[in-house]
Amino acid sequence: MVSSRASSLGEKTPGADNVTPADVERDDPDAEFGGHEARKKMERKLLRKLDLRMSILVVIYILNYIDRNNAGAARLRGFERDLHLQGQEFATLLSILYVGYIIMQVPSNMFLNYIGKPSLYIPACMAIWGTLSILTGITNDFVGALLTRFFLGFMEAAFFPGSLFLISKWYKRSELGTRTALLYCGNIISNAFGALIASGILDGMDGKLGRAAWRWLFYIEGALTVFVALCAVFILPDFPATTRRWWLSEAERRLAMRRMEEDAGVGDEAETETGGHAAGLWLAVKDWKVWWMAVAMTSQVVALSFNAYFPTLSATMGFDPTVTLLLCAPPFVFTAIMAFVISRHSDKTGERFWHISGPILGGIVGFIIAICTMNTAARYVSLFLMAQSYAGFVVLYTWVSNSFPRPPSKRAVAVALVNAFSQLGNVAGSYVWPSEWGPTYRNSYAICIATAGCAVVMCYIFKLHLAHLNRMLDKEEEEKGVQEKGFRYLL
């Protein structure tokens, strides 16, 4: 193609002297970037800059999940006793966070798409949730803790769907899986190192200034969140059309927008947005595929509900509180590695379903082992298998972003709606692990097996539907005589 294009430009044809720069650009779409090789070099440089700046999202996600899940570690050191919690009140403190989380996700992403300034919006929400985490440490009763947990979820809702939307505005579909995996590794790593940090604080700060160790846990982790939020203002990029220009050149910004146009076959904004940004809400709500994926993800979230109770499940092996928290780390370190490897392979092969189902089925094996034995070694192996099912969950998030590409306002709502709806799984999951079912928790594991199996079946049906849509696109292009394949859904 390049040689034929070059030769056609080089031939003497009538009117050749009248060739304009626009004609050359039509022949070579990379002309404005200095040609094909120069564009590839600029694209690599752009991706390096983006990856470096987006890496702050991993740090934010670690703190996001630590602030959300530190109640589980605090429970081991007097949190329930000091707040005089009874019956299901601790489970209610866990679940109330997701009420605010669910309410705010769709409005938050719609607002983010409207203002186009994630570099200001996400850090502002982060600073507020860090402050709320600190305030949890000064509560003295159930009602006070309930209020801080509710509003914590309210503010945390801005982060994850907003981050997914932000990276989908900069990266092509073939690049999204790896970047989503790296982002979600923040969640996974927080489970590993959050337990280690909590262990250090709970051991070293008990009684300092007359405050219980669990209170220091909220003070220190909340203050760290506020500090990182201030740093994030100067690091996070905005969208390609709205970003501050000082960190990338005008040519790089145009290239970023061109990449998105080429990836979907149409422009990201002007060619796909009709009826204003609010129209994306209606487009997402009336698309049954959005609701199907929302239910599938909710089912899998219930299966992952062991996450909030991981220190409790680790404690069933019979070790003291410090060792119990330390033993929580290795399964999630292993999971972070697995998530990155599986997501990268999914990107390279362009396959999604089996990369989702494989780890989830591995998690089901872990649940079965935990049901069958109380042997210490076997139960620890089961914790590894349960934890690695997160690797499939990461690819599932990527599949959602891939399956609703345009217009951006619909993608923003779809990503937020699926994620928000799926948090109902966390609300339900908070009640799946009552103390009365311990230490075996066989009923809890049985529920997780059922919901994980349901998620796999729903993903398989979704795959069959996308394959049908791809065949329709093939037929349409064949009838029109289109030679070059256009957009196709990833299966």
Side-chain angles (χ1 to χ4, degrees):
M1 286 295 290
V2 175
S3 60
S4 63
R5 189 183 294 134
S7 62
S8 66
L9 285 172
E11 288 173 2
K12 289 288 182 183
T13 56
D17 291 338
N18 297 325
V19 172
T20 66
D23 295 325
V24 174
E25 189 169 324
R26 273 196 295 273
D27 272 336
D28 183 2
D30 298 333
E32 66 171 307
F33 307 114
H36 183 65
E37 289 302 319
R39 171 186 163 149
K40 284 175 67 177
K41 185 177 179 182
M42 186 185 294
E43 197 162 352
R44 286 194 296 270
K45 183 180 177 183
L46 172 65
L47 285 174
R48 280 197 300 271
K49 285 183 176 182
L50 274 176
D51 288 342
L52 195 61
R53 289 186 169 272
M54 294 291 192
S55 62
I56 187 72
L57 292 175
V58 179
V59 178
I60 297 174
Y61 204 7
I62 290 172
L63 295 170
N64 177 277
Y65 239 72
I66 283 176
D67 289 336
R68 190 185 311 178
N69 286 350
N70 48 18
R75 188 188 193 192
L76 298 176
R77 289 300 184 92
F79 181 75
E80 286 181 294
R81 183 191 66 245
D82 291 353
L83 296 186
H84 314 293
L85 304 184
Q86 298 175 349
Q88 293 292 323
E89 287 182 341
F90 179 77
T92 301
L93 287 182
L94 294 184
S95 64
I96 194 66
L97 180 143
Y98 296 103
V99 175
Y101 198 71
I102 290 166
I103 290 170
M104 275 305 293
Q105 285 197 43
V106 172
S108 173
N109 252 24
M110 290 179 69
F111 183 67
L112 177 59
N113 186 50
Y114 175 73
I115 64 170
K117 289 289 181 182
S119 66
L120 298 177
Y121 180 63
I122 291 176
C125 293
M126 186 184 180
I128 296 171
W129 93 56
T131 304
L132 287 166
S133 183
I134 294 170
L135 292 176
T136 307
I138 67 172
T139 56
N140 292 305
D141 55 23
F142 172 67
V143 175
L146 194 72
L147 289 172
T148 56
R149 294 284 294 177
F150 172 77
F151 287 108
L152 180 66
F154 209 77
M155 299 313 301
E156 284 198 353
F159 173 68
F160 189 64
S163 296
L164 287 178
F165 184 50
L166 173 59
I167 63 175
S168 75
K169 293 281 279 187
W170 287 97
Y171 294 103
K172 297 191 290 187
R173 289 183 305 148
S174 60
E175 301 161 347
L176 263 182
T178 303
R179 270 69 183 193
T180 303
L182 287 170
L183 172 62
Y184 208 82
C185 278
N187 172 343
I188 297 166
I189 291 167
S190 74
N191 286 290
F193 294 103
L196 294 178
I197 294 168
S199 176
I201 295 172
L202 292 172
D203 267 0
M205 298 300 292
D206 194 24
K208 300 290 184 183
L209 300 179
R211 311 297 284 173
W214 68 265
R215 295 187 185 276
W216 282 108
L217 183 66
F218 288 103
Y219 298 157
I220 293 171
E221 292 179 350
L224 183 60
T225 297
V226 174
F227 171 74
V228 173
L230 295 174
C231 298
V233 173
F234 304 100
I235 299 173
L236 270 180
D238 291 316
F239 300 142
T242 60
T243 196
R244 293 163 290 190
R245 307 290 169 77
W246 59 268
W247 68 274
L248 83 172
S249 66
E250 178 60 24
E252 287 171 334
R253 191 181 71 85
R254 289 200 312 272
L255 176 58
M257 297 174 76
R258 173 74 65 82
R259 278 162 37 87
M260 294 295 98
E261 292 170 13
E262 293 170 348
D263 192 43
V266 291
D268 200 43
E269 296 281 354
E271 295 177 49
T272 59
E273 291 287 12
T274 56
H277 290 285
L281 175 62
W282 175 240
L283 289 173
V285 167
K286 71 178 184 178
D287 188 343
W288 71 267
K289 298 195 299 297
V290 174
W291 295 104
W292 185 267
M293 292 307 283
V295 174
M297 192 168 279
T298 302
S299 187
Q300 181 56 20
V301 167
V302 175
L304 296 173
S305 61
F306 63 83
N307 168 50
Y309 290 86
F310 211 74
T312 301
L313 299 179
S314 181
T316 63
M317 293 185 289
F319 299 101
D320 66 65
T322 300
V323 174
T324 292
L325 287 173
L326 293 176
L327 288 173
C328 292
F332 285 106
V333 172
F334 171 72
T335 298
I337 296 168
M338 286 290 293
F340 179 77
V341 171
I342 288 172
S343 296
R344 191 169 178 81
H345 189 263
S346 176
D347 271 357
K348 283 185 176 296
T349 59
E351 200 283 332
R352 297 298 189 222
F353 172 73
W354 289 110
H355 289 82
I356 293 167
S357 301
I360 293 176
L361 292 172
I364 290 175
V365 173
F367 297 137
I368 292 171
I369 292 172
I371 286 175
C372 294
T373 181
M374 287 297 290
N375 177 272
T376 300
R379 285 182 82 82
Y380 198 46
V381 169
S382 76
L383 292 179
F384 274 84
L385 289 171
M386 291 177 215
Q388 65 79 45
S389 58
Y390 267 103
F393 194 57
V394 172
V395 183
L396 184 55
Y397 267 121
T398 308
W399 208 17
V400 171
S401 294
N402 290 160
S403 301
F404 307 101
R406 297 294 183 272
S409 59
K410 178 185 177 180
R411 186 170 74 245
V413 173
V415 168
L417 184 60
V418 170
N419 194 53
F421 191 91
S422 72
Q423 300 311 310
L424 292 171
N426 277 316
V427 176
S430 299
Y431 298 93
V432 170
W433 305 88
S435 301
E436 307 87 72
W437 288 359
T440 61
Y441 291 102
R442 288 193 177 96
N443 293 339
S444 307
Y445 290 127
I447 292 170
C448 292
I449 290 170
T451 53
C454 176
V456 171
V457 171
M458 292 190 73
C459 285
Y460 182 68
I461 294 171
F462 188 66
K463 176 194 175 184
L464 294 179
H465 178 67
L466 293 187
H468 170 68
L469 293 180
N470 282 347
R471 286 193 296 273
M472 289 177 64
L473 290 169
D474 286 337
K475 185 177 179 182
E476 186 180 321
E477 288 182 355
E478 190 178 324
E479 289 171 353
K480 291 180 179 178
V482 177
Q483 298 298 316
E484 190 174 341
K485 252 189 174 185
F487 171 84
R488 293 294 183 274
Y489 292 100
L490 298 179
L491 308 179

